[in-house]
Amino acid sequence: MAALVASAALLVFAASSAASDEGQARAAGALTASRARHSTFWTWDDGREPVRRRLDTDDVRFPPGFLWGVASAAHQVEGGCANNNWARWEEGRDAAGAPRPRAGAACEHWTRFREDIELMRSLGLTSYRFSIEWSKIEPAPGVFDGEAIAHYHEVLDALRAAGIAPMITLFHFTIPAWFEELGGFEVESNNGFFVAFAQRAFAEYGGKCELWCTVNEPEVYVEGGYSSGKVKRTKKAPPSQTPRGADGGSGSTSSEARAMRVVLRR
């Protein structure tokens, strides 16, 4: 939520800056026009489509029980995520030799989640998707941290008390450092570790959480990590060397499928 507030502040700052600069004002005007166009046409319509499909904004309806929510990733908001692959990546330097930015305390969501949930409630939100940090729950293979497990019970209880439906993400791009040292999802035999983690999560939180997201944006993790190289703390590989997980043979997508079968058996 702190990140959401910060984003809103940045938008206000950008609007203020544009007003003071003629060139930026023109750009802001063009952006406004673009948004106006996309508010009445499908997002892929750039104005040059032979057949334009206009949205009927006078008849936009949402079904009863429609969930309005926000989402976060543990490493981005919790703070104290120092035992995972991204934390390891942050310890290095970029191509220019400069220190990489660190998440550090992040938004302090770990300690301020009650405040954040109250902000969600005040905004009228009815759902919150968040990831549970595997490296905190299982800091070593087969070793589960009772305090970390209890923490997420508290988060779930606070959400339910606020009338906000929780959705748990099992994997949002971070894995324990020990899991990465074993080869991560690239080693098919490692998939059992993730499945065991998923089973423990379902056993702990299944009675309080009905909505689950096994893997956040699996295509982004595969494409960004092994094709374009845009996803941090992954590695770009030639197409011929892309892990078989990209096409479902093994790796992260295979592990996702196995964990999903566990969900369906609940």
Side-chain angles (χ1 to χ4, degrees):
M1 292 305 297
L4 180 63
V5 173
S7 297
L10 287 174
L11 288 174
V12 172
F13 175 78
S16 175
S17 298
S20 64
D21 183 273
E22 183 177 352
Q24 291 185 9
R26 285 197 299 270
L31 179 60
T32 300
S34 173
R35 286 174 175 165
R37 183 180 72 242
H38 288 304
S39 68
T40 54
F41 292 97
W42 294 104
T43 55
W44 61 75
D45 187 341
D46 61 0
R48 294 175 292 183
E49 298 292 326
V51 178
R52 308 191 73 189
R53 296 186 175 94
R54 184 181 292 275
L55 292 170
D56 184 1
T57 55
D58 293 327
D59 188 28
V60 176
R61 302 178 185 180
F62 297 91
F66 185 87
L67 296 177
W68 295 91
V70 292
S72 68
H75 192 82
Q76 295 173 331
V77 299
E78 284 187 350
C81 296
N83 190 32
N84 64 33
N85 56 332
W86 277 54
R88 294 285 180 86
W89 178 86
E90 291 169 355
E91 294 173 356
R93 294 178 175 268
D94 62 21
R100 291 177 176 142
R102 299 191 178 193
C107 302
E108 299 179 340
H109 187 53
W110 183 267
T111 56
R112 306 180 67 175
F113 69 90
R114 296 185 191 280
E115 298 173 53
D116 293 339
I117 290 172
E118 175 56 27
L119 287 173
M120 296 177 208
R121 189 201 61 77
S122 69
L123 289 171
L125 300 178
T126 54
S127 180
Y128 175 44
R129 180 172 74 90
F130 62 98
S131 64
I132 54 177
E133 179 58 33
W134 184 5
S135 67
K136 290 181 178 179
I137 291 177
E138 189 178 7
V143 178
F144 291 89
D145 188 306
E147 291 185 6
I149 290 173
H151 169 83
Y152 291 114
H153 272 294
E154 292 182 20
V155 173
L156 290 168
D157 291 342
L159 286 168
R160 287 156 57 89
I164 298 173
M167 176 185 285
I168 290 177
T169 302
L170 292 171
F171 171 69
H172 198 139
F173 299 170
T174 58
I175 56 178
W178 60 262
F179 186 70
E180 177 162 272
E181 291 170 359
L182 292 174
F185 290 119
E186 292 181 36
V187 179
E188 187 171 6
S189 60
N190 287 343
N191 287 349
F193 287 109
F194 181 71
V195 172
F197 165 65
Q199 290 174 324
R200 181 61 182 264
F202 300 142
E204 286 288 344
Y205 309 124
K208 299 179 180 180
C209 182
E210 296 182 354
L211 304 174
W212 294 77
C213 172
T214 315
V215 176
N216 174 78
E217 300 177 323
E219 77 288 355
V220 172
Y221 181 70
V222 174
E223 190 280 331
Y226 295 96
S227 180
S228 69
K230 293 180 180 179
V231 175
K232 295 178 181 178
R233 198 49 197 103
T234 53
K235 52 190 176 185
K236 183 176 179 180
S240 62
Q241 298 178 19
T242 300
R244 286 180 293 141
D247 61 11
S250 66
S252 62
T253 49
S254 173
S255 187
E256 172 193 10
R258 292 179 63 191
M260 182 55 69
R261 286 195 289 272
V262 174
V263 176
L264 295 176
R265 288 198 299 266
R266 286 181 57 238

